[in-house]
PDB file of all heavy atoms in Angstrom:
ATOM      1  N   ALA A 224      -2.085 -15.654  -5.896  1.00 98.00           N
ATOM      2  CA  ALA A 224      -2.635 -16.173  -7.240  1.00 98.00           C
ATOM      3  C   ALA A 224      -1.871 -17.530  -7.525  1.00 98.00           C
ATOM      4  O   ALA A 224      -2.552 -18.367  -8.218  1.00 98.00           O
ATOM      5  CB  ALA A 224      -2.308 -15.199  -8.363  1.00 98.00           C
ATOM      6  N   ALA A 225      -0.654 -17.674  -7.282  1.00 98.00           N
ATOM      7  CA  ALA A 225       0.041 -18.875  -7.626  1.00 98.00           C
ATOM      8  C   ALA A 225      -0.551 -20.008  -6.789  1.00 98.00           C
ATOM      9  O   ALA A 225      -0.688 -21.176  -7.339  1.00 98.00           O
ATOM     10  CB  ALA A 225       1.444 -18.774  -7.352  1.00 98.00           C
ATOM     11  N   LYS A 226      -1.031 -19.858  -5.629  1.00 98.00           N
ATOM     12  CA  LYS A 226      -1.561 -20.964  -4.805  1.00 98.00           C
ATOM     13  C   LYS A 226      -2.911 -21.349  -5.636  1.00 98.00           C
ATOM     14  O   LYS A 226      -3.217 -22.608  -5.585  1.00 98.00           O
ATOM     15  CB  LYS A 226      -1.958 -20.363  -3.322  1.00 98.00           C
ATOM     16  CG  LYS A 226      -0.789 -20.337  -2.493  1.00 98.00           C
ATOM     17  CD  LYS A 226      -1.108 -19.828  -1.121  1.00 98.00           C
ATOM     18  CE  LYS A 226       0.132 -19.649  -0.231  1.00 98.00           C
ATOM     19  NZ  LYS A 226      -0.249 -19.259   1.124  1.00 98.00           N
ATOM     20  N   GLU A 227      -3.574 -20.458  -5.961  1.00 98.00           N
ATOM     21  CA  GLU A 227      -4.924 -20.832  -6.712  1.00 98.00           C
ATOM     22  C   GLU A 227      -4.619 -21.630  -8.061  1.00 98.00           C
ATOM     23  O   GLU A 227      -5.279 -22.635  -8.286  1.00 98.00           O
ATOM     24  CB  GLU A 227      -5.747 -19.624  -7.060  1.00 98.00           C
ATOM     25  CG  GLU A 227      -6.276 -18.919  -5.798  1.00 98.00           C
ATOM     26  CD  GLU A 227      -7.213 -17.705  -6.139  1.00 98.00           C
ATOM     27  OE1 GLU A 227      -7.693 -17.746  -7.409  1.00 98.00           O
ATOM     28  OE2 GLU A 227      -7.496 -16.849  -5.442  1.00 98.00           O
ATOM     29  N   ALA A 228      -3.585 -21.179  -8.741  1.00 98.00           N
ATOM     30  CA  ALA A 228      -3.223 -21.906 -10.010  1.00 98.00           C
ATOM     31  C   ALA A 228      -2.709 -23.321  -9.667  1.00 98.00           C
ATOM     32  O   ALA A 228      -3.060 -24.163 -10.459  1.00 98.00           O
ATOM     33  CB  ALA A 228      -2.140 -21.027 -10.641  1.00 98.00           C
ATOM     34  N   VAL A 229      -2.000 -23.397  -8.700  1.00 98.00           N
ATOM     35  CA  VAL A 229      -1.483 -24.798  -8.503  1.00 98.00           C
ATOM     36  C   VAL A 229      -2.576 -25.806  -7.963  1.00 98.00           C
ATOM     37  O   VAL A 229      -2.677 -26.782  -8.399  1.00 98.00           O
ATOM     38  CB  VAL A 229      -0.363 -24.661  -7.363  1.00 98.00           C
ATOM     39  CG1 VAL A 229      -0.102 -26.170  -6.741  1.00 98.00           C
ATOM     40  CG2 VAL A 229       0.968 -24.050  -7.850  1.00 98.00           C
ATOM     41  N   ALA A 230      -3.476 -25.212  -7.160  1.00 98.00           N
ATOM     42  CA  ALA A 230      -4.648 -25.977  -6.683  1.00 98.00           C
ATOM     43  C   ALA A 230      -5.475 -26.414  -7.831  1.00 98.00           C
ATOM     44  O   ALA A 230      -6.231 -27.444  -7.882  1.00 98.00           O
ATOM     45  CB  ALA A 230      -5.560 -25.192  -5.671  1.00 98.00           C
ATOM     46  N   ALA A 231      -5.553 -25.436  -8.966  1.00 98.00           N
ATOM     47  CA  ALA A 231      -6.449 -25.688 -10.136  1.00 98.00           C
ATOM     48  C   ALA A 231      -6.009 -27.005 -10.832  1.00 98.00           C
ATOM     49  O   ALA A 231      -6.916 -27.590 -11.496  1.00 98.00           O
ATOM     50  CB  ALA A 231      -6.443 -24.509 -10.911  1.00 98.00           C
ATOM     51  N   VAL A 232      -4.734 -27.345 -10.746  1.00 98.00           N
ATOM     52  CA  VAL A 232      -4.169 -28.608 -11.510  1.00 98.00           C
ATOM     53  C   VAL A 232      -4.903 -29.771 -10.815  1.00 98.00           C
ATOM     54  O   VAL A 232      -5.344 -30.567 -11.587  1.00 98.00           O
ATOM     55  CB  VAL A 232      -2.587 -28.694 -11.432  1.00 98.00           C
ATOM     56  CG1 VAL A 232      -2.237 -29.937 -12.021  1.00 98.00           C
ATOM     57  CG2 VAL A 232      -1.924 -27.373 -11.974  1.00 98.00           C
ATOM     58  N   ALA A 233      -4.761 -29.881  -9.497  1.00 97.00           N
ATOM     59  CA  ALA A 233      -5.362 -30.986  -8.793  1.00 97.00           C
ATOM     60  C   ALA A 233      -6.833 -30.989  -9.146  1.00 97.00           C
ATOM     61  O   ALA A 233      -7.527 -32.213  -9.248  1.00 97.00           O
ATOM     62  CB  ALA A 233      -5.138 -30.968  -7.409  1.00 97.00           C
ATOM     63  N   ASP A 234      -7.613 -29.860  -9.038  1.00 97.00           N
ATOM     64  CA  ASP A 234      -8.955 -29.809  -9.222  1.00 97.00           C
ATOM     65  C   ASP A 234      -9.489 -30.391 -10.635  1.00 97.00           C
ATOM     66  O   ASP A 234     -10.362 -31.088 -10.864  1.00 97.00           O
ATOM     67  CB  ASP A 234      -9.564 -28.400  -9.002  1.00 97.00           C
ATOM     68  CG  ASP A 234      -9.393 -28.006  -7.549  1.00 97.00           C
ATOM     69  OD1 ASP A 234      -9.287 -28.854  -6.646  1.00 97.00           O
ATOM     70  OD2 ASP A 234      -9.365 -26.725  -7.361  1.00 97.00           O
ATOM     71  N   ALA A 235      -8.623 -29.944 -11.679  1.00 96.00           N
ATOM     72  CA  ALA A 235      -8.912 -30.347 -13.066  1.00 96.00           C
ATOM     73  C   ALA A 235      -8.815 -31.820 -13.135  1.00 96.00           C
ATOM     74  O   ALA A 235      -9.629 -32.458 -14.010  1.00 96.00           O
ATOM     75  CB  ALA A 235      -7.969 -29.608 -13.944  1.00 96.00           C
ATOM     76  N   ASN A 236      -7.801 -32.420 -12.539  1.00 96.00           N
ATOM     77  CA  ASN A 236      -7.604 -33.929 -12.668  1.00 96.00           C
ATOM     78  C   ASN A 236      -8.655 -34.686 -11.853  1.00 96.00           C
ATOM     79  O   ASN A 236      -9.155 -35.744 -12.262  1.00 96.00           O
ATOM     80  CB  ASN A 236      -6.386 -34.201 -12.308  1.00 96.00           C
ATOM     81  CG  ASN A 236      -5.267 -33.997 -13.379  1.00 96.00           C
ATOM     82  OD1 ASN A 236      -5.102 -34.757 -14.226  1.00 96.00           O
ATOM     83  ND2 ASN A 236      -4.733 -32.765 -13.337  1.00 96.00           N
ATOM     84  N   ALA A 237      -9.197 -34.082 -10.664  1.00 93.00           N
ATOM     85  CA  ALA A 237     -10.211 -34.656  -9.966  1.00 93.00           C
ATOM     86  C   ALA A 237     -11.617 -34.711 -10.583  1.00 93.00           C
ATOM     87  O   ALA A 237     -12.206 -35.745 -10.705  1.00 93.00           O
ATOM     88  CB  ALA A 237     -10.319 -34.013  -8.568  1.00 93.00           C
ATOM     89  N   ALA A 238     -11.821 -33.638 -11.298  1.00 82.00           N
ATOM     90  CA  ALA A 238     -13.007 -33.440 -12.118  1.00 82.00           C
ATOM     91  C   ALA A 238     -12.984 -34.502 -13.275  1.00 82.00           C
ATOM     92  O   ALA A 238     -14.036 -35.102 -13.545  1.00 82.00           O
ATOM     93  CB  ALA A 238     -13.132 -32.082 -12.659  1.00 82.00           C
ATOM     94  N   ALA A 239     -11.840 -34.673 -13.959  1.00 76.00           N
ATOM     95  CA  ALA A 239     -11.827 -35.564 -15.008  1.00 76.00           C
ATOM     96  C   ALA A 239     -11.997 -36.972 -14.636  1.00 76.00           C
ATOM     97  O   ALA A 239     -12.596 -37.779 -15.303  1.00 76.00           O
ATOM     98  CB  ALA A 239     -10.282 -35.428 -15.729  1.00 76.00           C
ATOM     99  N   ASP A 240     -11.369 -37.437 -13.401  1.00 74.00           N
ATOM    100  CA  ASP A 240     -11.566 -38.635 -12.913  1.00 74.00           C
ATOM    101  C   ASP A 240     -13.028 -39.015 -12.466  1.00 74.00           C
ATOM    102  O   ASP A 240     -13.520 -40.050 -12.718  1.00 74.00           O
ATOM    103  CB  ASP A 240     -10.695 -38.779 -11.623  1.00 74.00           C
ATOM    104  CG  ASP A 240      -9.197 -38.853 -11.852  1.00 74.00           C
ATOM    105  OD1 ASP A 240      -8.872 -39.103 -13.005  1.00 74.00           O
ATOM    106  OD2 ASP A 240      -8.370 -38.700 -11.012  1.00 74.00           O
ATOM    107  N   ASP A 241     -13.706 -37.954 -12.025  1.00 74.00           N
ATOM    108  CA  ASP A 241     -15.117 -38.149 -11.519  1.00 74.00           C
ATOM    109  C   ASP A 241     -15.922 -38.304 -12.797  1.00 74.00           C
ATOM    110  O   ASP A 241     -16.821 -39.247 -12.810  1.00 74.00           O
ATOM    111  CB  ASP A 241     -15.502 -36.870 -10.746  1.00 74.00           C
ATOM    112  CG  ASP A 241     -14.880 -36.767  -9.438  1.00 74.00           C
ATOM    113  OD1 ASP A 241     -14.567 -37.858  -8.978  1.00 74.00           O
ATOM    114  OD2 ASP A 241     -15.155 -35.664  -8.818  1.00 74.00           O
ATOM    115  N   LYS A 242     -15.611 -37.542 -13.847  1.00 70.00           N
ATOM    116  CA  LYS A 242     -16.324 -37.792 -15.084  1.00 70.00           C
ATOM    117  C   LYS A 242     -16.218 -39.150 -15.726  1.00 70.00           C
ATOM    118  O   LYS A 242     -17.118 -39.801 -16.228  1.00 70.00           O
ATOM    119  CB  LYS A 242     -15.853 -36.744 -16.050  1.00 70.00           C
ATOM    120  CG  LYS A 242     -16.753 -36.605 -17.305  1.00 70.00           C
ATOM    121  CD  LYS A 242     -16.269 -35.503 -18.271  1.00 70.00           C
ATOM    122  CE  LYS A 242     -17.116 -35.362 -19.405  1.00 70.00           C
ATOM    123  NZ  LYS A 242     -16.794 -34.287 -20.318  1.00 70.00           N
ATOM    124  N   GLN A 243     -14.929 -39.740 -15.644  1.00 71.00           N
ATOM    125  CA  GLN A 243     -14.689 -41.045 -16.198  1.00 71.00           C
ATOM    126  C   GLN A 243     -15.363 -42.172 -15.382  1.00 71.00           C
ATOM    127  O   GLN A 243     -15.751 -43.129 -15.972  1.00 71.00           O
ATOM    128  CB  GLN A 243     -13.293 -41.245 -16.329  1.00 71.00           C
ATOM    129  CG  GLN A 243     -12.546 -40.323 -17.411  1.00 71.00           C
ATOM    130  CD  GLN A 243     -11.115 -40.679 -17.451  1.00 71.00           C
ATOM    131  OE1 GLN A 243     -10.500 -41.539 -16.754  1.00 71.00           O
ATOM    132  NE2 GLN A 243     -10.401 -39.972 -18.275  1.00 71.00           N
ATOM    133  N   SER A 244     -15.417 -41.993 -14.026  1.00 69.00           N
ATOM    134  CA  SER A 244     -15.936 -43.039 -13.237  1.00 69.00           C
ATOM    135  C   SER A 244     -17.440 -43.014 -13.173  1.00 69.00           C
ATOM    136  O   SER A 244     -18.073 -43.959 -12.479  1.00 69.00           O
ATOM    137  CB  SER A 244     -15.303 -42.923 -11.744  1.00 69.00           C
ATOM    138  OG  SER A 244     -15.553 -41.722 -11.152  1.00 69.00           O
ATOM    139  N   SER A 245     -18.041 -41.827 -13.435  1.00 62.00           N
ATOM    140  CA  SER A 245     -19.508 -41.673 -13.345  1.00 62.00           C
ATOM    141  C   SER A 245     -20.165 -42.343 -14.615  1.00 62.00           C
ATOM    142  O   SER A 245     -20.094 -41.838 -15.675  1.00 62.00           O
ATOM    143  CB  SER A 245     -19.975 -40.263 -13.181  1.00 62.00           C
ATOM    144  OG  SER A 245     -19.379 -39.742 -11.969  1.00 62.00           O
ATOM    145  N   PRO A 246     -20.966 -43.434 -14.305  1.00 61.00           N
ATOM    146  CA  PRO A 246     -21.819 -44.042 -15.497  1.00 61.00           C
ATOM    147  C   PRO A 246     -22.846 -43.122 -15.895  1.00 61.00           C
ATOM    148  O   PRO A 246     -23.433 -42.408 -15.084  1.00 61.00           O
ATOM    149  CB  PRO A 246     -22.320 -45.331 -14.757  1.00 61.00           C
ATOM    150  CG  PRO A 246     -22.460 -45.042 -13.291  1.00 61.00           C
ATOM    151  CD  PRO A 246     -21.293 -44.093 -13.200  1.00 61.00           C
TER     152      PRO A 246
END
Side-chain angles (χ1 to χ4, degrees):
K226 287 181 180 179
E227 290 188 18
V229 168
V232 177
D234 291 343
N236 284 271
D240 290 343
D241 289 343
K242 186 175 182 180
Q243 291 180 357
S244 62
S245 298

